[in-house]
Amino acid sequence: AKPLSPRMLDSGGSPRGHRRRSVTVLLDQEAVMAARAWCAEAPVEVHEELDSTNDRLAQLAEEGAPEGTLVIARAQRAGRGRHGRSWSSPPGGLYFSFLLRPEEAMLRRLAPTLVVGLAVCQALDAFTPEETRPQLKWPNDVLLRGRKVAGILGEMTRGPDGHRLVLGVGMNLAEVELPDELSETAICVAATGARPEPGAVLAAFFESFAGLYGSVQRGGGALILAQAAGRMPSLGQPIRL
């Protein structure tokens, strides 16, 4: 068998070579490989539980991790959204963060969180009923049936090695018991009757993201913005702040 590439790390973060058990607890090995095709040499960490995948990846970025480094967790103890809001992260969802090192010009073309949100929508298209089309709520929410099914958190710093953009994604996949305050505003993919495997969703996400990100790098931001706008039901509608 070919050795697993990219290099897998155990939950403590130390290199351990090919450890199939640590991968398949969470994700099928082939799905992880498919997800990493766009950045095949970047390392991957798979954890049973973390405080926050964004926090762990920020630590790796500070240590010089390359673009595409990926951190996945089955559950988070201290997941968060924008403005420090809590993000409920029980087992049954898909929680991951990946690292970009974008150039300044690319950041001016299009907000990376919008690219990620569109990639989440396109990934979920393959697993949800045709009449349940995932939609975007600016700036970082993905909706199903008008309720939040996924959120994106982008956190950027600048160091001597340039921009470090940590992009965290949390998706509600399996049916889980949500906190009372979220019962009317959140939804799981399983509520549509779909039962996608986390690894398949991860692979579909990165397949979509690779194409979208490459398009932005080549100057194709306007086309992607138009695709995203087509998934924003609030455009042209009155809203209340």
Side-chain angles (χ1 to χ4, degrees):
K2 291 180 63 178
L4 181 63
S5 175
R7 176 171 52 99
M8 296 304 299
L9 308 182
D10 69 6
S11 60
S14 57
R16 304 292 284 236
H18 180 4
R19 295 182 63 207
R20 183 173 178 83
R21 182 184 61 79
S22 67
V23 180
T24 55
V25 165
L26 300 175
L27 299 167
D28 178 80
Q29 175 182 326
E30 291 183 4
V32 174
M33 292 293 292
R36 308 310 297 134
W38 74 286
C39 206
E41 296 306 313
V44 177
E45 284 191 6
V46 182
H47 298 259
E48 277 288 340
E49 187 176 64
L50 275 177
D51 283 343
S52 162
T53 57
N54 263 35
D55 287 350
R56 173 58 184 157
L57 185 55
Q59 176 187 352
L60 295 174
E62 180 72 24
E63 296 169 358
E67 181 169 83
T69 298
L70 174 63
V71 176
I72 309 166
R74 183 178 179 185
Q76 295 181 112
R77 293 181 291 265
R80 65 181 183 277
R82 296 176 69 233
H83 308 303
R85 297 188 184 102
S86 175
W87 176 268
S88 180
S89 311
L94 176 59
Y95 316 108
F96 64 94
S97 299
F98 62 103
L99 179 66
L100 296 183
R101 294 185 175 276
E103 297 178 356
E104 189 73 38
M106 200 222 78
L107 291 171
R108 289 196 297 266
R109 292 188 193 113
L110 199 65
T113 52
L114 187 62
V115 181
V116 175
L118 183 57
V120 170
C121 287
Q122 292 179 351
L124 293 180
D125 277 344
F127 303 101
T128 53
E130 188 173 347
E131 67 275 11
T132 309
R133 189 169 187 251
Q135 297 176 317
L136 288 169
K137 178 183 175 184
W138 178 263
N140 70 328
D141 292 353
V142 177
L143 309 179
L144 277 180
R145 299 176 178 172
R147 295 159 67 186
K148 187 168 181 175
V149 71
I152 299 109
L153 177 63
E155 296 179 311
M156 187 161 65
T157 58
R158 185 174 178 87
D161 52 353
H163 290 295
R164 306 165 186 160
L165 177 56
V166 173
L167 287 159
V169 179
M171 296 191 212
N172 306 328
L173 298 182
E175 198 74 64
V176 296
E177 185 174 345
L178 295 169
D180 290 342
E181 64 270 19
L182 300 179
S183 59
E184 297 299 319
T185 58
I187 192 172
C188 301
V189 173
T192 69
R195 297 290 189 274
E197 291 294 326
V201 177
L202 184 75
F205 168 81
F206 275 109
E207 181 179 358
S208 176
F209 178 80
L212 295 171
Y213 187 54
S215 180
V216 174
Q217 289 178 310
R218 295 188 296 272
L223 177 60
I224 292 172
L225 186 58
Q227 293 178 19
R231 291 182 183 260
M232 293 183 180
S234 60
L235 287 182
Q237 301 299 315
I239 62 172
R240 177 176 294 179
L241 297 179

